[in-house]
Amino acid sequence: MEGWDTSLSEVEQRLQELLRSSGRLPKHVAIIMDGNGRWAQERGLPRVEGHRQGIQSVREVVKVAVQLGIPYLTLYAFSMENWRRPQVEIRTLMELLHYYLRRELPELQRHGIRLRAIGKLNALPRRVQRVVADALQATASNTGLTLTLALSYSGRWDIVRAVQMIAIDVRRGKLSPEDITEERFASYLLTRELPEPDLLIRTSGEMRLSNFLLWESAYAEIYVSNLYWPDFRRCAFYRALLDYIRRERRFGMISEQLGAYRLAEEIATELEELLHAVERRVH
Ligand code: FPP
């Protein structure tokens, strides 16, 4: 099997170096990959073709996250609401997931990626559950990027599940209601081992959270791209990151309290120029 093409042009290397050395890259990027169906329909192709092309975007974004040393990437691959789709589409999505995890496992290993999954995993077809479990186990001790796939996931479902677990612990006397703090609550969520997302990207121009990481995204910076997911390749990812590192995250404070945290304008300009140069080479 051919591996990932990891060769980078000089200008892209420089762009990556400067992004890294800015010290402002997000620790955790979460992505709502939307618009596969529309991408295909606009080309007169079956919707599933959009999902197929979407896999290539997954590869590119994962690769860039690894290259930039972003420690956590979470992808909304299948929502609980997606079970309402036509059977044939669900089947294809499950096939693609199965294919991706089997085919990509050696590359995940080679790059030290630790795979995680959140969601109601036992709702997935058995053979998908098996391949997910195998990939989780095989990559468990890797120390590079933590790649989390949200599969049969719903933010509200996870919150309700956490409340149920807390109630059980209270009933058993393991926890008293006064001890239920925000941190304690978050420790019952499936995302407990992940930091909160700093950057939440959604493609295809929709301004919705669609039940994704509802609790966890309280302070996330939201970036909406008008591109459909199959068109969201590495340049689009760089653009989202550049947009993010130029933002001022105040966490309730005022601008003056943050002082030196702002990105120097000359670095922002150089990043912008490098990205233009990379875009010209890619397109
Ligand atoms: C949304 O587009 C996308 C999905 C429901 C699935 C995303 C899945 C993949 C990219 C492939 C498998 C993923 C991995 C991680 C291997 P949509 O169908 O809702 O598009 P629409 O809004 O245009 O109909």
Side-chain angles (χ1 to χ4, degrees):
M1 192 192 86
E2 74 188 88
W4 289 350
D5 176 11
T6 43
S7 58
L8 290 175
S9 68
E10 240 171 72
V11 63
E12 191 166 351
Q13 269 178 42
R14 176 81 192 113
L15 173 67
Q16 291 199 353
E17 273 162 28
L18 201 56
L19 280 169
R20 269 197 307 265
S21 65
S22 76
R24 301 167 59 97
L25 282 173
K27 278 202 177 57
H28 183 180
V29 179
I31 309 185
I32 302 174
M33 309 180 287
D34 193 20
N36 293 351
R38 277 164 287 167
W39 182 93
Q41 277 164 338
E42 285 182 13
R43 286 161 179 77
L45 299 166
R47 289 176 55 82
V48 295
E49 196 46 39
H51 299 312
R52 264 188 210 112
Q53 290 298 324
I55 294 229
Q56 192 49 33
S57 299
V58 170
R59 283 198 189 101
E60 287 214 9
V61 168
V62 170
K63 194 160 84 179
V64 168
V66 168
Q67 288 165 342
L68 289 175
I70 292 173
Y72 296 90
L73 176 67
T74 300
L75 302 176
Y76 204 4
F78 195 82
S79 72
M80 242 175 219
E81 291 76 20
N82 286 154
W83 291 115
R84 299 193 198 127
R85 295 200 168 188
Q87 275 307 313
V88 54
E89 185 167 339
I90 293 176
R91 246 198 321 272
T92 309
L93 274 166
M94 292 300 138
E95 282 306 317
L96 282 176
L97 206 59
H98 189 270
Y99 166 85
Y100 174 85
L101 288 174
R102 287 238 340 234
R103 200 194 131 113
E104 223 66 18
L105 187 58
E107 285 300 305
L108 299 183
Q109 293 287 39
R110 207 158 71 81
H111 294 276
I113 297 173
R114 185 169 66 119
L115 193 78
R116 313 258 311 146
I118 51 171
K120 194 168 186 289
L121 301 183
N122 61 10
L124 300 169
R126 280 279 157 75
R127 66 191 226 104
V128 176
Q129 284 185 47
R130 266 198 301 272
V131 77
V132 170
D134 288 349
L136 295 183
Q137 201 192 10
T139 63
S141 56
N142 290 345
T143 54
L145 170 74
T146 296
L147 172 62
T148 304
L149 300 183
L151 299 169
S152 189
Y153 174 84
S154 139
R156 284 188 177 176
W157 167 82
D158 196 25
I159 289 171
V160 170
R161 200 196 50 80
V163 171
Q164 287 172 347
M165 304 304 246
I166 289 171
I168 291 171
D169 280 354
V170 169
R171 190 168 60 194
R172 285 182 182 153
K174 278 172 65 182
L175 186 68
S176 70
E178 299 72 41
D179 294 335
I180 305 171
T181 58
E182 290 187 10
E183 290 72 28
R184 184 62 66 93
F185 178 80
S187 75
Y188 282 82
L189 294 170
L190 290 173
T191 49
R192 60 187 156 262
E193 285 166 29
L194 310 176
E196 290 184 4
D198 304 295
L199 172 61
L200 175 65
I201 299 176
R202 178 166 190 147
T203 58
S204 94
E206 309 284 358
M207 307 280 183
R208 279 192 296 279
L209 288 179
S210 296
N211 215 348
F212 188 44
L213 302 178
L214 294 182
W215 171 275
E216 298 85 342
S217 296
Y219 287 101
E221 292 292 324
I222 299 177
Y223 177 89
V224 175
S225 162
N226 285 327
L227 295 172
Y228 293 141
W229 177 249
D231 287 330
F232 193 90
R233 297 286 159 97
R234 60 189 207 279
C235 285
F237 190 37
Y238 290 135
R239 187 143 295 289
L241 294 170
L242 182 49
D243 186 273
Y244 170 84
I245 67 174
R246 296 183 90 151
R247 292 189 196 182
E248 186 180 88
R249 300 184 78 198
R250 289 196 295 275
F251 300 101
M253 291 182 278
I254 64 166
S255 201
E256 286 68 27
Q257 290 174 290
L258 299 166
Y261 193 69
R262 241 162 275 123
L263 181 69
E265 212 28 63
E266 57 276 17
I267 298 182
T269 310
E270 190 180 350
L271 281 167
E272 190 65 56
E273 282 166 8
L274 286 166
L275 179 51
H276 276 305
V278 174
E279 282 169 341
R280 274 197 301 275
R281 286 182 72 104
V282 169
H283 298 297

